[in-house]
Amino acid sequence: MRYAAVLLALLTPAPTMAQSSTTPPVAQAPAATPPDPARLDLARRLIDQIMPPANREQMIEAILAPMMANVSRTLTRDPKLSEMLGNNPRVKAIFDRFIERQTARSLANLRGELPAMAETMSRAYARNFEAAQLREIAAFFATPTGAIYLARSPAIMKDPDVLAWQSALIVKSLATIQGDVSDMLKELSAEAGRSQ
């Protein structure tokens, strides 16, 4: 529940450059109805309970670090890349620097977005739950079981089954993306040739 927004952010690539006049604008979501102020207040308190502001950065790092390590392990299982990395220490150093840069950029991006993420989640909770439901959710997290859930949730991303699922998903995604990009480039090239 609380990690859906975090995972969505993690799957969004970190920006590598500022948006320029030639960069397409980011698509705007449809305007949302403002949440009820009383429910928004309850939702903000709930999000602070679920993701205490003082712990948010550590929670994000606890989720991101195993994911990025898993991405690196999965990529290096590719026979072609594995051969390149094994045969040339300089290639491995380039790859390692790439993973380090992506991890650092993703962490920096997420750290900067934590306040906006908390407010966004608060507004979403306020729209989707009644005041009584928000109080009940908060009451659950105040129980011993709720406290254990909050403490252990970040570690779920390190669970062997979760890591194995991520690896399989990464492999499938890379295979699909590579084929799709190749097909798109062929189509673009053909269309550009016709337009000239």
Side-chain angles (χ1 to χ4, degrees):
M1 178 164 79
R2 73 180 169 138
Y3 289 109
V6 176
L7 291 174
L8 179 61
L10 291 175
L11 295 173
T12 304
T16 55
M17 65 181 87
Q19 187 167 331
S20 70
S21 59
T22 59
T23 304
V26 176
Q28 294 296 317
T33 306
D36 173 72
R39 284 164 57 176
L40 182 57
D41 181 59
L42 288 168
R44 284 177 177 144
R45 284 188 267 155
L46 176 61
I47 294 302
D48 283 349
Q49 181 183 7
I50 294 171
M51 298 183 74
N55 300 340
R56 284 180 188 157
E57 281 193 25
Q58 294 85 354
M59 293 166 80
I60 294 298
E61 289 173 17
I63 295 167
L64 185 62
M67 285 181 72
M68 291 303 291
N70 203 21
V71 167
S72 177
R73 277 192 304 272
T74 302
L75 291 175
T76 57
R77 286 187 196 133
D78 176 80
K80 289 179 186 174
L81 181 60
S82 179
E83 184 180 344
M84 287 172 60
L85 296 175
N87 292 339
N88 190 332
R90 290 185 303 215
V91 171
K92 184 174 183 333
I94 291 169
F95 177 79
D96 290 343
R97 284 194 304 270
F98 170 80
I99 294 295
E100 287 172 18
R101 277 194 311 271
Q102 296 313 306
T103 302
R105 285 178 179 162
S106 295
L107 276 172
N109 188 32
L110 289 170
R111 283 187 194 112
E113 291 297 321
L114 285 176
M117 182 189 72
E119 180 62 14
T120 298
M121 291 176 69
S122 297
R123 295 172 75 80
Y125 274 51
R127 284 191 196 92
N128 286 279
F129 297 101
E130 299 293 330
Q133 294 168 327
L134 291 166
R135 289 188 191 97
E136 287 175 12
I137 296 167
F140 166 72
F141 287 127
T143 67
T145 299
I148 290 169
Y149 170 84
L150 291 176
R152 293 186 183 167
S153 286
I156 296 298
M157 298 310 295
K158 297 177 188 174
D159 183 87
D161 284 339
V162 173
L163 292 174
W165 172 82
Q166 280 179 357
S167 283
L169 181 63
I170 291 165
V171 169
K172 286 180 186 176
S173 297
L174 287 174
T176 302
I177 288 169
Q178 288 170 348
D180 289 349
V181 168
S182 176
D183 290 346
M184 180 193 65
L185 290 174
K186 287 176 188 170
E187 286 184 54
L188 289 174
S189 178
E191 186 59 36
R194 281 193 288 270
S195 299
Q196 292 177 355

